[in-house]
Amino acid sequence: MGLEWIQPADRLGALPPYVFARLDELKLKARQQGLDLIDLGMGNPDGSAPRPVIEAAIAAFEEPSYHGYPPFEGTAVFRQAITRWYQRRYNVSLDPEGEALPLLGSKEGLTHLALAYVNPGDVVLVPSPAYPAHFRGPAIAGANIYPLILKREKGWLIDLSEIPSDIARQAKVLYFNYPSNPTAAIAPRSFFEEVVAFAREYQILLVHDLCYAELAFDGYQPTSLLEIPGAKEIGVEFHTLSKTYNMAGWRVGFVVGNRHIIQGLRTLKTNLDYGVFSVLQKAAEVALSLPDSYIASVCDRYRQRRDFLIQGLNELGWQLTPTQATMYLWVPVPLGMSSTDFALKLLQETGIVVTPGNAFGEGGEGYVRISLIADCDRLGEALKRMAQANIRFDSLSHSLTPSSHD
Ligand SMILES: Cc1ncc(COP(=O)(O)O)c(C=O)c1O
């Protein structure tokens, strides 16, 4: 060993342990005990990237110039594919020169944005629960994070009226994300209009994460922040190829919106990385141009899983209503149990892996997130194991049914 006396920098010490890393340890232990795990923990889509994307990547490998360092700001053709995608899907016009920047996945950009714009002590507004990069990025930057606790009875929407005006005046950045990970909540256009008006009044940078731009069901179409008049003056929006296109391992995402903010992020990144491998930018360009029929088939797959699992969980006593977007179910745990206790009980008694809600911040306590990343056969097996282990939910007393305590 050695060097234990060299302490990590304070910014690392300030971070709570990454729950997914802890879950990995527990999963490893369970596997070593011979359990057949059904892993519904991470938002890691099953299956491979679309065939035309794979073929584009293979063809791009043959191009010698793609093997060198890519341009810092991304290839012009990929930036144009991004702005074309925004035009087609959201009728939003963007300049590929300066209003779009490819990223090594959106997590990278969301985190680095905080390093580019947040000084130690700056107030950053972050919903709780939230996707961890929304608070971990600012935490690494030394932000004074003001959590906006979301509530089920408010549809998991941020209640701007609850933010004290002195906090709003001090705040520099607001992160938010609809359709939401982990709650699967969606926000009406009027909500986006309120957020833009709020940010303009208090001069706050809006950082919207549109990760689930295409994963929507039953006719629902997510809203882009940039559809709202004036949003580009105070905001940026992140998107990723990880979810819709099953490309989580490829690490391709992008940010669009305010030119000045994107320039700052780019300046930071030119000191940290060389951007996305040109071969992958070429393939990502093809992904963004896939016909709507591809998106429809992806949504159909998740919708079937959603319906199947919701019906099965409701037969076990939950009272879940259909989600309209994302690849998650946000499920209350029985009264008297913490999110972590329930997730551990599930893992130990059934081999099912879910994410405890507190991984997404204090506002996630009392819930677990289930990712729809297995086919209906496997989800059926999960439901069977839950029934066998008597893991049920009594909606009336909000507790496990008495027999489950046997
Ligand atoms: C809301 C949200 N943003 C960003 C990401 C990360 O995406 P990427 O793979 O592009 O880093 C995720 C992944 O789960 C997410 O749920």
Side-chain angles (χ1 to χ4, degrees), residues 42-44 104-108 110 131 133-134 177 179-182 209-212 238-243 247-249 251-254 327-328 369:
M42 279 183 83
N44 193 6
L104 296 159
S106 56
K107 178 180 179 181
E108 175 263 300
L110 286 158
Y131 174 63
H134 299 172
N177 155 233
S180 154
N181 174 14
D209 186 346
L210 187 59
C211 186
Y212 300 95
F238 287 79
H239 188 35
T240 174
L241 280 82
S242 294
K243 313 291 179 173
M247 291 168 68
R251 311 310 303 132
V252 188
F254 54 85
M327 49 196 288
Y328 307 110
R369 189 195 70 180

Tab-separated table of all heavy atoms in Angstrom, residues 42-44 104-108 110 131 133-134 177 179-182 209-212 238-243 247-249 251-254 327-328 369, ligand 1:
chain	number	residue	atom	x	y	z
A	42	MET	N	-29.484	0.650	-12.524
A	42	MET	CA	-29.021	1.839	-13.261
A	42	MET	C	-29.903	2.139	-14.462
A	42	MET	O	-30.606	1.253	-14.952
A	42	MET	CB	-27.580	1.628	-13.751
A	42	MET	CG	-26.550	1.892	-12.682
A	42	MET	SD	-24.885	1.723	-13.330
A	42	MET	CE	-24.616	3.313	-14.084
A	43	GLY	N	-29.825	3.346	-14.974
A	43	GLY	CA	-30.552	3.706	-16.197
A	43	GLY	C	-29.719	3.333	-17.411
A	43	GLY	O	-29.406	4.195	-18.238
A	44	ASN	N	-29.367	2.053	-17.482
A	44	ASN	CA	-28.435	1.582	-18.505
A	44	ASN	C	-29.210	0.728	-19.507
A	44	ASN	O	-29.481	-0.437	-19.246
A	44	ASN	CB	-27.354	0.743	-17.804
A	44	ASN	CG	-26.177	0.458	-18.683
A	44	ASN	OD1	-26.081	0.972	-19.808
A	44	ASN	ND2	-25.266	-0.363	-18.205
A	104	LEU	N	-18.598	14.433	-24.001
A	104	LEU	CA	-18.292	13.017	-23.740
A	104	LEU	C	-19.398	12.431	-22.857
A	104	LEU	O	-19.170	12.006	-21.726
A	104	LEU	CB	-16.934	12.905	-23.032
A	104	LEU	CG	-15.735	13.379	-23.860
A	104	LEU	CD1	-14.546	13.713	-22.969
A	104	LEU	CD2	-15.349	12.313	-24.867
A	105	GLY	N	-20.613	12.488	-23.345
A	105	GLY	CA	-21.785	12.136	-22.535
A	105	GLY	C	-22.249	13.384	-21.801
A	105	GLY	O	-21.451	14.289	-21.511
A	106	SER	N	-23.549	13.443	-21.503
A	106	SER	CA	-24.039	14.679	-20.883
A	106	SER	C	-23.600	14.809	-19.424
A	106	SER	O	-23.465	15.913	-18.910
A	106	SER	CB	-25.555	14.792	-21.014
A	106	SER	OG	-26.191	13.668	-20.463
A	107	LYS	N	-23.342	13.687	-18.751
A	107	LYS	CA	-22.884	13.768	-17.354
A	107	LYS	C	-21.603	14.603	-17.262
A	107	LYS	O	-21.456	15.447	-16.372
A	107	LYS	CB	-22.631	12.347	-16.833
A	107	LYS	CG	-22.110	12.284	-15.421
A	107	LYS	CD	-21.903	10.838	-15.004
A	107	LYS	CE	-21.347	10.743	-13.590
A	107	LYS	NZ	-21.125	9.352	-13.182
A	108	GLU	N	-20.705	14.349	-18.210
A	108	GLU	CA	-19.450	15.109	-18.242
A	108	GLU	C	-19.726	16.609	-18.335
A	108	GLU	O	-19.195	17.415	-17.570
A	108	GLU	CB	-18.625	14.604	-19.435
A	108	GLU	CG	-17.346	15.339	-19.724
A	108	GLU	CD	-17.460	16.406	-20.805
A	108	GLU	OE1	-17.819	16.104	-21.954
A	108	GLU	OE2	-17.169	17.568	-20.461
A	110	LEU	N	-22.587	18.296	-17.748
A	110	LEU	CA	-23.356	18.835	-16.613
A	110	LEU	C	-22.417	19.134	-15.442
A	110	LEU	O	-22.572	20.132	-14.739
A	110	LEU	CB	-24.411	17.814	-16.176
A	110	LEU	CG	-25.620	17.667	-17.103
A	110	LEU	CD1	-26.309	16.324	-16.897
A	110	LEU	CD2	-26.600	18.812	-16.885
A	131	TYR	N	-31.058	13.857	-10.664
A	131	TYR	CA	-29.964	13.054	-11.219
A	131	TYR	C	-28.665	13.507	-10.520
A	131	TYR	O	-28.392	14.712	-10.437
A	131	TYR	CB	-29.899	13.269	-12.734
A	131	TYR	CG	-28.713	12.609	-13.384
A	131	TYR	CD1	-28.579	11.229	-13.358
A	131	TYR	CD2	-27.734	13.367	-14.008
A	131	TYR	CE1	-27.482	10.618	-13.943
A	131	TYR	CE2	-26.634	12.764	-14.603
A	131	TYR	CZ	-26.509	11.391	-14.560
A	131	TYR	OH	-25.424	10.788	-15.130
A	133	ALA	N	-25.538	14.004	-10.992
A	133	ALA	CA	-24.572	14.991	-11.521
A	133	ALA	C	-25.063	16.420	-11.285
A	133	ALA	O	-24.257	17.356	-11.225
A	133	ALA	CB	-24.336	14.758	-13.009
A	134	HIS	N	-26.372	16.594	-11.116
A	134	HIS	CA	-26.901	17.950	-10.926
A	134	HIS	C	-26.477	18.540	-9.582
A	134	HIS	O	-26.428	19.757	-9.433
A	134	HIS	CB	-28.434	17.963	-11.025
A	134	HIS	CG	-28.948	17.509	-12.355
A	134	HIS	ND1	-30.274	17.295	-12.613
A	134	HIS	CD2	-28.309	17.200	-13.513
A	134	HIS	CE1	-30.443	16.885	-13.860
A	134	HIS	NE2	-29.241	16.813	-14.430
A	177	ASN	N	-34.765	19.154	-14.674
A	177	ASN	CA	-34.804	18.017	-15.598
A	177	ASN	C	-36.224	17.432	-15.685
A	177	ASN	O	-36.687	16.820	-14.748
A	177	ASN	CB	-33.770	16.978	-15.078
A	177	ASN	CG	-34.033	15.546	-15.489
A	177	ASN	OD1	-34.083	14.664	-14.637
A	177	ASN	ND2	-34.161	15.295	-16.761
A	179	PRO	N	-38.720	15.517	-18.877
A	179	PRO	CA	-39.145	14.429	-18.004
A	179	PRO	C	-38.015	14.020	-17.063
A	179	PRO	O	-36.844	14.039	-17.454
A	179	PRO	CB	-39.476	13.296	-18.966
A	179	PRO	CG	-39.737	13.963	-20.281
A	179	PRO	CD	-38.885	15.171	-20.314
A	180	SER	N	-38.402	13.664	-15.849
A	180	SER	CA	-37.433	13.592	-14.775
A	180	SER	C	-36.900	12.198	-14.488
A	180	SER	O	-37.648	11.225	-14.429
A	180	SER	CB	-38.089	14.142	-13.508
A	180	SER	OG	-37.495	13.590	-12.357
A	181	ASN	N	-35.623	12.129	-14.279
A	181	ASN	CA	-34.984	11.027	-13.590
A	181	ASN	C	-34.698	11.560	-12.192
A	181	ASN	O	-34.031	12.581	-12.082
A	181	ASN	CB	-33.677	10.658	-14.294
A	181	ASN	CG	-32.887	9.613	-13.537
A	181	ASN	OD1	-33.386	8.964	-12.643
A	181	ASN	ND2	-31.615	9.472	-13.884
A	182	PRO	N	-35.182	10.980	-11.109
A	182	PRO	CA	-35.744	9.644	-11.020
A	182	PRO	C	-37.276	9.560	-10.976
A	182	PRO	O	-37.802	8.455	-10.996
A	182	PRO	CB	-35.213	9.174	-9.661
A	182	PRO	CG	-35.267	10.407	-8.811
A	182	PRO	CD	-34.889	11.532	-9.761
A	209	ASP	N	-31.817	19.646	-18.294
A	209	ASP	CA	-31.336	18.352	-18.757
A	209	ASP	C	-32.506	17.645	-19.456
A	209	ASP	O	-33.451	17.201	-18.811
A	209	ASP	CB	-30.860	17.570	-17.521
A	209	ASP	CG	-30.193	16.258	-17.879
A	209	ASP	OD1	-30.333	15.822	-19.042
A	209	ASP	OD2	-29.546	15.670	-16.997
A	210	LEU	N	-32.421	17.571	-20.781
A	210	LEU	CA	-33.513	16.986	-21.586
A	210	LEU	C	-33.155	15.555	-22.010
A	210	LEU	O	-33.407	15.129	-23.125
A	210	LEU	CB	-33.775	17.883	-22.808
A	210	LEU	CG	-34.979	17.571	-23.699
A	210	LEU	CD1	-36.285	17.601	-22.945
A	210	LEU	CD2	-35.049	18.539	-24.875
A	211	CYS	N	-32.564	14.841	-21.063
A	211	CYS	CA	-32.081	13.475	-21.313
A	211	CYS	C	-33.154	12.578	-21.938
A	211	CYS	O	-32.860	11.717	-22.754
A	211	CYS	CB	-31.650	12.915	-19.969
A	211	CYS	SG	-30.860	11.342	-20.015
A	212	TYR	N	-34.427	12.778	-21.526
A	212	TYR	CA	-35.491	11.865	-21.970
A	212	TYR	C	-36.384	12.532	-23.015
A	212	TYR	O	-37.596	12.335	-23.048
A	212	TYR	CB	-36.267	11.348	-20.737
A	212	TYR	CG	-35.296	10.623	-19.838
A	212	TYR	CD1	-34.683	11.270	-18.762
A	212	TYR	CD2	-34.878	9.336	-20.154
A	212	TYR	CE1	-33.709	10.626	-17.996
A	212	TYR	CE2	-33.898	8.691	-19.401
A	212	TYR	CZ	-33.321	9.348	-18.331
A	212	TYR	OH	-32.343	8.706	-17.608
A	238	PHE	N	-29.083	20.238	-22.080
A	238	PHE	CA	-28.244	19.073	-22.361
A	238	PHE	C	-29.091	17.938	-22.915
A	238	PHE	O	-30.231	17.747	-22.519
A	238	PHE	CB	-27.566	18.579	-21.071
A	238	PHE	CG	-26.470	19.483	-20.598
A	238	PHE	CD1	-26.766	20.657	-19.912
A	238	PHE	CD2	-25.142	19.177	-20.842
A	238	PHE	CE1	-25.761	21.501	-19.479
A	238	PHE	CE2	-24.124	20.021	-20.413
A	238	PHE	CZ	-24.434	21.182	-19.730
A	239	HIS	N	-28.483	17.163	-23.813
A	239	HIS	CA	-29.144	15.965	-24.301
A	239	HIS	C	-28.066	14.898	-24.524
A	239	HIS	O	-26.873	15.205	-24.544
A	239	HIS	CB	-29.920	16.260	-25.591
A	239	HIS	CG	-30.783	15.117	-26.051
A	239	HIS	ND1	-31.438	14.275	-25.179
A	239	HIS	CD2	-31.090	14.670	-27.300
A	239	HIS	CE1	-32.116	13.372	-25.870
A	239	HIS	NE2	-31.918	13.576	-27.152
A	240	THR	N	-28.513	13.676	-24.662
A	240	THR	CA	-27.565	12.563	-24.755
A	240	THR	C	-28.051	11.527	-25.763
A	240	THR	O	-29.260	11.398	-25.986
A	240	THR	CB	-27.415	11.877	-23.382
A	240	THR	OG1	-26.594	10.722	-23.513
A	240	THR	CG2	-28.764	11.441	-22.806
A	241	LEU	N	-27.124	10.776	-26.321
A	241	LEU	CA	-27.510	9.676	-27.198
A	241	LEU	C	-27.615	8.360	-26.426
A	241	LEU	O	-27.969	7.331	-26.989
A	241	LEU	CB	-26.518	9.549	-28.365
A	241	LEU	CG	-26.803	10.573	-29.472
A	241	LEU	CD1	-26.211	11.930	-29.142
A	241	LEU	CD2	-26.327	10.088	-30.814
A	242	SER	N	-27.301	8.431	-25.127
A	242	SER	CA	-27.218	7.206	-24.321
A	242	SER	C	-28.518	6.430	-24.257
A	242	SER	O	-28.514	5.205	-24.305
A	242	SER	CB	-26.807	7.557	-22.887
A	242	SER	OG	-25.513	8.070	-22.869
A	243	LYS	N	-29.632	7.138	-24.098
A	243	LYS	CA	-30.882	6.450	-23.764
A	243	LYS	C	-31.663	6.062	-25.021
A	243	LYS	O	-31.896	4.886	-25.257
A	243	LYS	CB	-31.740	7.349	-22.863
A	243	LYS	CG	-30.968	7.976	-21.711
A	243	LYS	CD	-30.532	6.968	-20.676
A	243	LYS	CE	-29.745	7.646	-19.573
A	243	LYS	NZ	-29.415	6.789	-18.462
A	247	MET	N	-26.862	3.971	-26.554
A	247	MET	CA	-25.445	4.257	-26.788
A	247	MET	C	-24.736	4.722	-25.510
A	247	MET	O	-23.784	5.497	-25.571
A	247	MET	CB	-25.293	5.301	-27.909
A	247	MET	CG	-25.697	4.758	-29.274
A	247	MET	SD	-25.851	6.030	-30.536
A	247	MET	CE	-24.156	6.546	-30.756
A	248	ALA	N	-25.217	4.222	-24.350
A	248	ALA	CA	-24.663	4.728	-23.081
A	248	ALA	C	-23.148	4.531	-22.989
A	248	ALA	O	-22.438	5.375	-22.442
A	248	ALA	CB	-25.369	4.051	-21.915
A	249	GLY	N	-22.660	3.420	-23.539
A	249	GLY	CA	-21.220	3.170	-23.457
A	249	GLY	C	-20.394	3.967	-24.458
A	249	GLY	O	-19.177	4.026	-24.356
A	251	ARG	N	-20.511	7.176	-24.988
A	251	ARG	CA	-20.221	8.474	-24.384
A	251	ARG	C	-20.331	9.627	-25.397
A	251	ARG	O	-19.340	10.259	-25.782
A	251	ARG	CB	-18.828	8.501	-23.710
A	251	ARG	CG	-18.530	7.352	-22.791
A	251	ARG	CD	-19.614	7.076	-21.748
A	251	ARG	NE	-19.916	8.213	-20.911
A	251	ARG	CZ	-21.188	8.622	-20.676
A	251	ARG	NH1	-22.224	8.002	-21.198
A	251	ARG	NH2	-21.385	9.654	-19.900
A	252	VAL	N	-21.547	9.843	-25.845
A	252	VAL	CA	-21.803	10.977	-26.739
A	252	VAL	C	-23.043	11.724	-26.247
A	252	VAL	O	-24.117	11.137	-26.075
A	252	VAL	CB	-22.058	10.545	-28.202
A	252	VAL	CG1	-22.127	11.785	-29.100
A	252	VAL	CG2	-20.986	9.595	-28.707
A	253	GLY	N	-22.867	13.003	-26.015
A	253	GLY	CA	-23.982	13.873	-25.662
A	253	GLY	C	-23.697	15.251	-26.221
A	253	GLY	O	-22.724	15.439	-26.983
A	254	PHE	N	-24.515	16.219	-25.863
A	254	PHE	CA	-24.235	17.590	-26.315
A	254	PHE	C	-24.982	18.607	-25.478
A	254	PHE	O	-25.920	18.253	-24.746
A	254	PHE	CB	-24.563	17.768	-27.808
A	254	PHE	CG	-25.965	17.369	-28.208
A	254	PHE	CD1	-27.025	18.262	-28.093
A	254	PHE	CD2	-26.218	16.107	-28.742
A	254	PHE	CE1	-28.308	17.894	-28.482
A	254	PHE	CE2	-27.506	15.733	-29.131
A	254	PHE	CZ	-28.558	16.633	-29.005
A	327	MET	N	-37.635	6.003	-18.583
A	327	MET	CA	-37.518	4.545	-18.517
A	327	MET	C	-37.534	4.084	-17.058
A	327	MET	O	-36.893	3.091	-16.714
A	327	MET	CB	-36.201	4.124	-19.198
A	327	MET	CG	-35.020	4.925	-18.717
A	327	MET	SD	-33.590	4.785	-19.792
A	327	MET	CE	-33.119	3.125	-19.402
A	328	TYR	N	-38.271	4.852	-16.203
A	328	TYR	CA	-38.249	4.567	-14.767
A	328	TYR	C	-39.644	4.478	-14.176
A	328	TYR	O	-40.578	5.129	-14.654
A	328	TYR	CB	-37.504	5.687	-14.020
A	328	TYR	CG	-36.137	5.953	-14.583
A	328	TYR	CD1	-35.867	7.135	-15.276
A	328	TYR	CD2	-35.130	5.001	-14.465
A	328	TYR	CE1	-34.616	7.370	-15.819
A	328	TYR	CE2	-33.873	5.227	-15.007
A	328	TYR	CZ	-33.624	6.412	-15.687
A	328	TYR	OH	-32.396	6.622	-16.229
A	369	ARG	N	-36.229	3.696	-7.186
A	369	ARG	CA	-36.381	3.846	-8.635
A	369	ARG	C	-36.142	2.502	-9.294
A	369	ARG	O	-35.128	1.839	-9.024
A	369	ARG	CB	-35.370	4.869	-9.176
A	369	ARG	CG	-35.637	5.225	-10.631
A	369	ARG	CD	-34.460	5.937	-11.251
A	369	ARG	NE	-33.324	5.028	-11.437
A	369	ARG	CZ	-32.159	5.385	-11.956
A	369	ARG	NH1	-31.968	6.646	-12.324
A	369	ARG	NH2	-31.171	4.525	-12.097
B	1	LIG	C1	-31.203	13.059	-16.249
B	1	LIG	C2	-29.958	12.446	-16.762
B	1	LIG	N1	-28.992	13.223	-17.266
B	1	LIG	C3	-27.845	12.711	-17.742
B	1	LIG	C4	-27.616	11.355	-17.712
B	1	LIG	C5	-26.285	10.833	-18.197
B	1	LIG	O1	-26.256	10.696	-19.544
B	1	LIG	P1	-24.895	10.425	-20.320
B	1	LIG	O2	-24.823	8.963	-20.559
B	1	LIG	O3	-25.018	11.221	-21.561
B	1	LIG	O4	-23.761	10.910	-19.481
B	1	LIG	C6	-28.566	10.499	-17.186
B	1	LIG	C7	-28.310	9.058	-17.092
B	1	LIG	O5	-28.972	8.312	-16.414
B	1	LIG	C8	-29.768	11.055	-16.707
B	1	LIG	O6	-30.745	10.297	-16.218
